[in-house]
Amino acid sequence: MPRVLKRIESVVPRRASGYGGKARGLAALARAGFPVPAAYAMPGWVGDSFFSSVLEIEDRPRALLNSPYVPEARLQSIAERVREATLPQDVVRSVSDALLALTNEGATSFAVRSSAMHEDQEGASAAGMHSTLLNLMREDEVLNAIKVCWSSLFRPRVLSYLRALGEDIPVSVGVVIQAMVPTEVSGVLFTANPLTGDAGEVVINAAYGLGSAVVDGRVTPDTYRVDKATGQLRDQIIGDKAQQTVLERSGGVREVAVARAQRERPALSEQQLLQLTDLATRIESHFGDPRDVEWGIAEHQIYVLQARPVVVPSTGSRRGSRRDRPWDRRKIVWSNANVGEALPGVVTPLTWSVLSQFSDLGFRRAFGAMGCTVPRDAELVGDFRGRIYINLTEFSSVMSQVPWIHPSTLVRLGGGQYASELDEVVAERSSTGFFLRLPQTVSRYVRENFRLQARVDDFQSYFSDERMRINGIDPRLLEPSGLDRMLGDVEHLLDETGSIMLTAYANLLTAVLVLIGVLRTFARDQGSGFYRELLSGLQDVASARPGFVLRHVAELARDEPEVAERIRTAKLSELTVAGLPAGPTRDALRRFVEDYGYRGIREAEIAAPRWSEDPTVMFAAIRSHLSSPTDLDHRVRDLRRTREEAEERFKKSVPFPLRPSVTKLLHVVRRFTRMREDLRGHVVEVLGMFRRVALEASRRIEAREPEAGPDAAFFLTLAEVRRVFHDENERVAIRVQRRRLEYERNQALPEPPSTFVGFPPDDAGVASTSKRLRGLAASGGVAEGRVRILRDPSQAADFKRGEVLVVAAADTGWAPLFLAASGVVTELGGPLSHAAIILREYGVPAVVNVTNATRSLRDGDLIRLDGDVGTVERLGV
């Protein structure tokens, strides 16, 4: 007769299927020499045999799976019979012998864990469905715990899960009896980042006491991100760690509070971080794929308690050679000055999973269009405290291949701050390859420009049809498979839209760099604002249209006194389009919502509401225009005149034979600017389609897991959302709760600087007391006014016409208020940013990239901003 129990290291992994996923994983770890606590494994056939002796055939698991419906009361009765039945003597003797052996090796208590045949395997993890019992002191407790593990098979959720997996899925439940480790610190580590897919870093969560609090999401742990290649810490966030789970002397566990001073300290030392990183690397190398590892530290010894496969987002296949040697991470310059304008603040996991690969691909295409090569292992985009940053060191290294363009030019166009650490990067690169590829680059650029407009025209027709089709679908009526297909259609539309937008952006960037080179050569004496004058007042820029339309709506409302009075006096939070009296204003606003309702504050964040859901900013803009009309026609004429005069000066500054080429170059830059803004709006519209799917997915998740909350899908990756559609028994509540806690913690942390070297500092940026603040000139002109700081749409009601709008990022979602502002100041952004283009279209003076502007200025401060030189001067209060 086969043995009832085996030492875990005696279980041969390739023949261990009968022991279940957990035992199989522990056996592989133990046999490879990893520090696994002493344990015995019981195969699933022991439980099957026990069921045969105590249950009727119709009450056994396989028969229940074949029944279309089993009342919950019946399942509870069956589980109770299993727990109350007497175990066979051979099982009791085997357990007794195992406990004696573990005790002789130093164990003072035991953990009993289920090890089902259907858990911890790809496509069927069953994580958290079965039982684990901790700190059992006596033999009778262990014997009862074994029956509890077996009885967990009769939970309605487990049977539904198994039924969904099909007839061939194994249903047996093995058991692992393990020496209890009294861990002082424990947690979970991922051998690759589970959210970003970055295989170059280890993510470690750590808290005091036993790891169950971390695994179950009951505590906010410390989070460490460690670079695999160098062992350097990429980022460290100290969690609250308010509670810890500890062993009771009499058995079992309890929750205790952690002292305030201890909460504020890192749970892990530098040496322990290095040891865990090395452990993660070795485990991943042994198994050959990324792993989710539960670990604990007791008396300076690290123990591996469990290791299961984990699916990480794909970073896609990348062409090109690898870097000769990795960057020293202490010298890498990171910035979110430009990308933060499009997506400021903390990003949800769903948004990151959608946009990170999209951004990486876009940057590679843009560089390729300029004739630059990008190393296959280049880390172009990074995540710090939930915020997206770009790697300026990598960008500068790539850009330094272009001999006449210094990377500082690109950095400042994007709104970043040039750091001296980048000079070392520039000196290392060679332009030989760039010159060898130059004929191909020029040929491709000419070819792309020749056919791009026709390609865009074809795409616009395709997008219009797809938009109508997808927006016509009501996701609430779809089966899960239909919702999954809808999500696939939206993904495909983003790929198509992003591809053509990124082509336009790459061509725009190339043309702008050429234009800057020409300006420096022939028009150096024209001043720093000359470039902005040439590109002001382009007219018909898509992202500027909403502001113009709302100004027109205000003019309509002025002719309808009842409507105008309601918009002037009602609380903005209570105003709705449907709630307005019937008439031209309401009709115009309905059309506005149909055309632009997909836009909003932080519109690149899929979890953020759109104007169609929260019209606060829309009505705030209309109210501002109602207070006094905007002489927009005069502004437009001035901008056009300024642009035309600048163009004439530019032409006169270059040799006569080059003037036709200069005229063509300006036309190309302006055309690509309009094209990029138009296509960027389409990308935002597609992200709104993702939001519709995510909201419906969240509704369905909450219906079956109320503890997951109403917004669960936003805290899952795209792949995880799809698994929810494929498997109605997929459980995500604990994962969602854990990530929501991390998201809220990241929001509460001080905003990292827009640019930093190595790693973000722990403290917030210091508010400046200087009379004059400096940033980057984004839109020309001088303005004086009182400061109004806005941090979210709910504060838009406080904004008054003529105030200087001060925001962390000039997100295009704020654009309707730009026309009513006397000027705009932002902490992020650059001259090429979307908001800067809109502000130049409106003729509103603006200074961007003003460090700590929202902390240095206060509501009501009187300031003068100069959009020609990039300064903000305090005049008083």
Side-chain angles (χ1 to χ4, degrees), residues 61-284:
R62 182 61 67 185
L64 294 173
L65 287 178
N66 293 328
S67 301
Y69 170 72
V70 182
E72 187 171 343
R74 180 183 169 195
L75 292 176
Q76 291 175 349
S77 173
I78 296 171
E80 185 65 25
R81 270 182 276 156
V82 170
R83 289 191 293 269
E84 291 180 352
T86 302
L87 287 170
Q89 281 304 305
D90 60 330
V91 173
V92 174
R93 284 193 299 270
S94 295
V95 171
S96 181
D97 292 344
L99 297 183
L100 179 61
L102 292 173
T103 301
N104 290 338
E105 295 175 28
T108 57
S109 64
F110 313 96
V112 176
R113 308 175 189 272
S114 64
S115 179
M117 308 300 108
H118 47 268
E119 69 179 345
D120 291 353
Q121 53 186 312
E122 186 175 350
S125 69
M129 287 196 177
H130 295 284
S131 298
T132 293
L133 295 94
L134 303 176
N135 198 31
L136 306 175
M137 312 291 288
R138 304 187 311 272
E139 179 180 310
D140 63 312
E141 292 176 333
V142 172
L143 294 171
N144 287 332
I146 292 170
K147 292 185 287 184
V148 169
C149 287
W150 287 339
S151 69
S152 66
L153 191 54
F154 299 96
R155 293 172 180 167
R157 171 184 160 196
V158 175
L159 286 176
S160 296
Y161 177 83
L162 292 173
R163 193 176 287 118
L165 291 177
E167 296 180 359
D168 298 331
I169 192 72
V171 297
S172 302
V173 175
V175 175
V176 173
I177 302 173
Q178 205 168 33
M180 191 71 211
V181 180
T183 55
E184 300 110 22
V185 179
S186 50
V188 179
L189 67 81
F190 301 90
T191 66
N193 192 311
L195 293 181
T196 68
D198 187 350
E201 72 178 15
V202 176
V203 180
I204 301 171
N205 292 327
Y208 300 118
L210 303 180
S212 55
V214 177
V215 173
D216 296 342
R218 289 182 284 110
V219 68
T220 305
D222 295 344
T223 299
Y224 309 86
R225 293 170 49 213
V226 186
D227 186 74
K228 281 182 184 176
T230 64
Q232 294 175 3
L233 193 63
R234 293 187 179 182
D235 197 14
Q236 168 183 290
I237 302 173
I238 305 303
D240 185 48
K241 307 186 295 290
Q243 302 285 326
Q244 63 175 318
T245 304
V246 299
L247 304 182
E248 283 276 30
R249 289 189 177 182
S250 58
V253 298
R254 64 187 174 96
E255 301 284 318
V256 298
V258 176
R260 171 61 63 180
Q262 192 177 9
R263 295 185 203 176
E264 296 172 354
R265 292 197 298 266
L268 295 172
S269 67
E270 290 184 14
Q271 183 63 28
Q272 288 169 331
L273 276 174
L274 288 173
Q275 291 172 339
L276 285 168
T277 302
D278 175 68
L279 177 68
T281 304
R282 289 189 292 117
I283 288 176
E284 184 176 69

Side-chain angles (χ1 to χ4, degrees), residues 717-732:
T717 65
L718 196 58
E720 290 169 340
V721 171
R722 302 201 79 151
R723 284 205 293 275
V724 169
F725 295 154
H726 286 290
D727 179 6
E728 64 179 17
N729 294 291
E730 176 79 6
R731 290 301 182 263
V732 298

Side-chain angles (χ1 to χ4, degrees), residues 410-624:
L410 187 64
V411 170
R412 293 191 175 106
L413 277 175
Q417 300 171 14
Y418 194 76
S420 59
E421 285 82 357
L422 299 178
D423 291 328
E424 302 174 23
V425 177
V426 176
E428 292 180 1
R429 292 302 298 245
S430 167
S431 298
T432 303
F434 174 83
F435 282 116
L436 291 174
R437 292 186 298 273
L438 191 57
Q440 293 173 293
T441 302
V442 172
S443 174
R444 181 173 62 247
Y445 185 76
V446 171
R447 191 169 59 250
E448 284 285 354
N449 274 281
F450 179 74
R451 67 184 183 187
L452 183 58
Q453 189 60 58
R455 183 181 165 199
V456 169
D457 292 342
D458 290 342
F459 169 78
Q460 295 285 20
S461 176
Y462 160 77
F463 185 85
S464 178
D465 291 342
E466 280 297 280
R467 171 207 286 141
M468 184 176 297
R469 184 182 67 82
I470 293 174
N471 286 343
I473 299 172
D474 186 344
R476 296 170 300 177
L477 305 180
L478 298 177
E479 293 292 327
S481 59
L483 199 55
D484 184 51
R485 282 195 299 274
M486 181 179 178
L487 180 58
D489 290 344
V490 175
E491 283 186 84
H492 179 70
L493 187 57
L494 180 65
D495 289 342
E496 293 292 320
T497 309
S499 174
I500 196 164
M501 185 200 76
L502 294 169
T503 300
Y505 183 70
N507 286 346
L508 170 63
L509 190 57
T510 303
V512 166
L513 291 173
V514 173
L515 176 61
I516 290 173
V518 173
L519 288 172
R520 285 180 174 172
T521 304
F522 298 108
R524 187 180 294 272
D525 60 341
Q526 293 291 333
S528 60
F530 193 44
Y531 168 83
R532 293 186 299 279
E533 292 176 1
L534 288 168
L535 298 180
S536 294
L538 299 181
Q539 301 179 343
D540 199 31
V541 173
S543 49
R545 288 178 204 145
F548 291 133
V549 173
L550 288 177
R551 181 247 190 187
H552 173 67
V553 171
E555 292 176 352
L556 292 175
R558 199 172 282 112
D559 294 332
E560 294 185 88
E562 184 182 355
V563 174
E565 182 64 18
R566 177 158 176 74
I567 294 175
R568 285 193 189 102
T569 59
K571 287 184 178 180
L572 286 184
S573 59
E574 296 176 356
L575 285 171
T576 63
V577 175
L580 295 177
T585 304
R586 190 173 75 175
D587 293 342
L589 274 176
R590 278 179 173 163
R591 288 193 297 272
F592 179 89
V593 171
E594 288 173 3
D595 293 339
Y596 306 109
Y598 59 86
R599 310 213 76 142
I601 306 297
R602 300 187 74 235
E603 59 191 11
E605 168 56 66
I606 297 172
R610 275 39 185 168
W611 288 341
S612 59
E613 302 167 75
D614 181 2
T616 305
V617 171
M618 289 166 34
F619 284 111
I622 296 171
R623 178 181 289 181
S624 298

Side-chain angles (χ1 to χ4, degrees), residues 641-704:
R641 184 176 63 252
T642 299
R643 188 188 74 241
E644 290 170 351
E645 291 173 354
E647 186 171 343
E648 285 303 311
R649 298 202 311 274
F650 184 33
K651 290 177 183 177
K652 291 177 181 178
S653 68
V654 301
F656 184 79
L658 295 180
R659 290 178 186 177
S661 297
V662 164
T663 302
K664 177 67 174 176
L665 177 61
L666 283 173
H667 173 73
V668 168
V669 171
R670 292 165 180 166
R671 180 165 65 92
F672 282 144
T673 298
R674 294 189 188 96
M675 188 181 294
R676 182 190 74 157
E677 291 303 295
D678 192 27
L679 293 170
R680 198 258 186 184
H682 288 341
V683 169
V684 172
E685 190 166 3
V686 178
L687 295 178
M689 297 175 190
F690 274 106
R691 177 170 170 79
R692 290 180 63 219
V693 177
L695 287 170
E696 176 58 21
S698 297
R699 186 188 68 80
R700 297 185 186 197
I701 291 170
E702 187 182 20
R704 66 194 192 201

